[in-house]
């Protein structure tokens, strides 16, 4: 999705968090005041006692306090809005404060998605943004679907080298008919193990390995839902084991695996589409050559791959150093 301007408001869970914290604090405060000042005796000895009962007065006070708590919580959640523009990233805090520029979009070099245990379950978190020339990192805090917004920000960033592009894109049928090669790779699935007939997240690794190989070379296309012989299997087996059994759910799973194993900062070099072939949906991952080295993070280590013929091959440390020095010397 490409948009010239994106508005991001904090997750509604942040509103609930503020509400609980403030509610807890203010709920204790009246009882402390009553206990410390013996307010009831003082009130009953005053002239107002004959007009308004003490219990009614407390009820009015507590109701007013509850409204105040909800109002403060809502304002703290609603008014800070992050505005992502093609030129800059702004934090807008209502008309009472000036807009704050937290980063220049075109100078963003990397975006990290941070989620705690609860954030991972409820899909909210913080984006940590590294920018060229900025001593401190910018933060877009407590937002829903952080990985999705990271991709949208990357889509606004102009490619650093306009001349870098994929080899001529061909229809998926032609790619399948031509078979695997320097620019094409087939994978049966993203996470469904056809041999064992179980979910196998270890299958993420060969998918991401080939994407890294394409990025470190001259680009290419990875087709998921196609077996090694070019038979169209489709994505139905993957869909059936996903929380959201459709292409959106598939792309979410793909993106989370990609961000963890390759890095969200590389997502700008990858486009995902879901063409239909013979009545079945497949995933076409179009990969551009990256402008800096990409590594696969798996099993506690990093590996550097390049595309060589119809396979992605790992390079040793010395081989990778020479290759990187030559390809990425600019």
């Amino acid at each position: 999705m490409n948009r010239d301007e994106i508005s991001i408001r904090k997750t509604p869970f942040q509103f609930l968090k503020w509400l609980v914290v403030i509610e807890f604090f203010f709920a204790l405060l009246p009882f402390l005041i009553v206990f410390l000042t013996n307010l009831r005796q003082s009130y009953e000895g005053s002239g107002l006692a004959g007009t308004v009962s003490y219990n009614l007065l407390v009820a009015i006070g507590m109701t007013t306090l509850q409204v105040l708590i909800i109002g403060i919580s809502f304002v703290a959640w609603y008014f800070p809005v992050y505005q992502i523009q093609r030129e800059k990233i702004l934090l807008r805090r209502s008309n009472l404060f000036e807009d704050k520029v937290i980063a220049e979009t075109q100078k963003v070099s990397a975006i990290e998605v941070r989620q705690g245990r609860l954030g991972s379950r409820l899909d909210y978190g913080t984006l940590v943004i590294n920018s060229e020339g900025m001593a401190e990192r910018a933060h877009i805090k407590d937002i829903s679907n952080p990985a999705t917004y990271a991709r949208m920000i990357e889509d606004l960033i102009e490619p650093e080298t306009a001349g870098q592009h994929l080899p001529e894109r061909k229809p998926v049928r032609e790619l399948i008919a031509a078979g695997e090669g320097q620019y094409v790779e087939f994978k049966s699935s993203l996470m469904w193990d056809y041999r064992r007939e179980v979910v196998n997240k270890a299958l993420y690794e060969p998918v991401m390995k080939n994407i890294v190989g394409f990025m470190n070379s001259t680009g290419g296309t990875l087709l998921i839902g196609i077996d090694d012989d070019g038979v169209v299997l489709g994505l139905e087996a993957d869909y059936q084991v996903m929380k959201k059994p459709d292409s959106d759910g598939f792309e979410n799973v793909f993106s989370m695996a990609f961000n963890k194993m390759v890095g969200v900062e590389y997502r700008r070099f990858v486009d995902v589409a879901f063409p239909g072939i013979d009545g079945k949906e497949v995933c076409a991952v179009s990969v551009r050559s990256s402008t800096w080295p990409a590594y696969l993070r798996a099993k506690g280590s990093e590996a550097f791959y390049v595309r060589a013929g119809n396979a992605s091959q790992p390079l040793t440390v010395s081989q990778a150093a020479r290759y990187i020095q030559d390809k990425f010397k600019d």
Side-chain angles (χ1 to χ4, degrees):
M1 183 185 300
N2 288 311
R3 298 174 60 182
D4 289 334
E5 190 168 290
I6 306 163
S7 294
I8 309 176
R9 181 167 279 113
K10 291 178 181 288
T11 173
F13 291 108
Q14 187 68 8
F15 170 61
L16 294 177
K17 176 181 174 181
W18 273 102
L19 192 60
V20 169
V21 171
I22 299 175
E23 177 79 21
F24 182 78
F25 176 77
F26 279 104
L28 293 177
L29 190 59
F31 296 103
L32 290 174
I33 294 173
V34 171
F35 177 76
L36 292 175
T37 64
N38 199 9
L39 187 60
R40 185 183 190 110
Q41 292 182 7
S42 299
Y43 179 77
E44 289 179 349
S46 70
L48 291 174
T51 306
V52 180
S53 71
Y54 176 78
N55 290 335
L56 178 59
L57 184 65
V58 170
I60 293 172
M62 292 298 293
T63 301
T64 303
L65 190 58
Q66 294 295 322
V67 172
L68 181 63
I69 289 171
I70 295 172
I72 292 173
S73 302
F74 181 78
V75 168
W77 165 74
Y78 183 81
F79 281 104
V81 176
Y82 296 99
Q83 199 78 32
I84 316 299
Q85 301 174 355
R86 192 168 291 275
E87 299 79 19
K88 55 193 174 183
I89 301 175
L90 300 171
L91 172 59
R92 292 182 168 167
R93 297 166 292 181
S94 80
N95 295 330
L96 299 177
F97 302 94
E98 292 185 3
D99 295 344
K100 179 182 179 182
V101 178
I102 63 174
E104 294 182 42
T105 308
Q106 300 305 322
K107 291 186 177 181
V108 171
S109 58
I111 306 175
E112 177 187 353
V113 178
R114 291 184 180 176
Q115 293 178 291
R117 184 172 300 178
L118 182 62
S120 297
R121 289 181 175 275
L122 300 176
D123 196 17
Y124 75 87
T126 295
L127 298 183
V128 182
I129 301 174
N130 292 314
S131 300
E132 298 174 10
M134 295 286 288
E136 297 183 358
R137 292 180 293 182
H139 294 76
I140 299 180
K141 299 179 179 180
D142 301 312
I143 62 172
S144 300
N145 307 311
T148 299
Y149 282 117
R151 287 179 44 212
M152 295 171 71
I153 293 172
E154 289 167 358
D155 287 343
L156 294 178
I157 301 172
E158 300 292 343
E160 296 182 20
T161 307
Q164 291 190 336
H165 56 276
L166 280 170
E168 180 184 358
R169 293 192 183 185
K170 298 179 180 179
V172 172
R173 285 187 182 277
E174 290 187 25
L175 295 177
I176 296 173
E180 293 180 313
Q182 179 67 34
Y183 303 113
V184 180
E185 176 74 23
F186 300 155
K187 287 298 170 191
S188 297
S189 64
L190 178 63
M191 60 190 296
W192 178 254
D193 192 323
Y194 279 95
R195 182 176 61 84
R196 297 165 55 194
E197 295 189 345
V198 295
V199 172
N200 183 4
K201 293 185 179 181
L203 297 179
Y204 292 161
E205 185 174 344
V207 169
M208 300 306 159
K209 176 188 75 175
N210 284 284
I211 292 174
V212 166
F214 283 137
M215 282 196 290
N216 287 328
S217 304
T218 52
T221 301
L222 174 69
L223 297 176
I224 305 175
I226 310 293
D227 73 7
D228 291 340
D229 297 323
V231 176
V232 179
L233 302 176
L235 302 177
E236 189 61 31
D238 277 330
Y239 285 169
Q240 289 181 355
V241 295
M242 293 178 176
K243 291 183 179 179
K244 190 177 181 182
D246 55 23
S247 58
D248 285 341
F250 185 99
E251 187 168 355
N252 287 338
V253 173
F254 171 88
S255 294
M256 286 190 288
F258 182 94
N259 294 344
K260 181 178 179 181
M261 302 180 73
V262 183
V264 69
E265 65 270 26
Y266 292 91
R267 193 62 174 79
R268 74 180 76 173
F269 303 111
V270 176
D271 297 322
V272 178
F274 296 89
I277 303 292
D278 298 334
K280 299 177 181 179
E281 206 168 36
V282 300
C283 178
V285 184
S286 301
V287 186
R288 293 183 291 281
S289 177
S290 66
T291 53
W292 62 88
Y295 297 86
L296 176 69
R297 297 191 293 267
K299 300 173 183 175
S301 62
E302 288 187 337
F304 186 87
Y305 288 88
V306 296
R307 190 70 180 177
N310 63 351
S312 294
Q313 302 290 344
L315 298 187
T316 65
V317 174
S318 59
Q319 289 173 330
R322 289 194 297 270
Y323 184 90
I324 291 169
Q325 186 177 18
D326 180 60
K327 184 178 188 300
F328 300 100
K329 58 186 176 182
D330 294 333

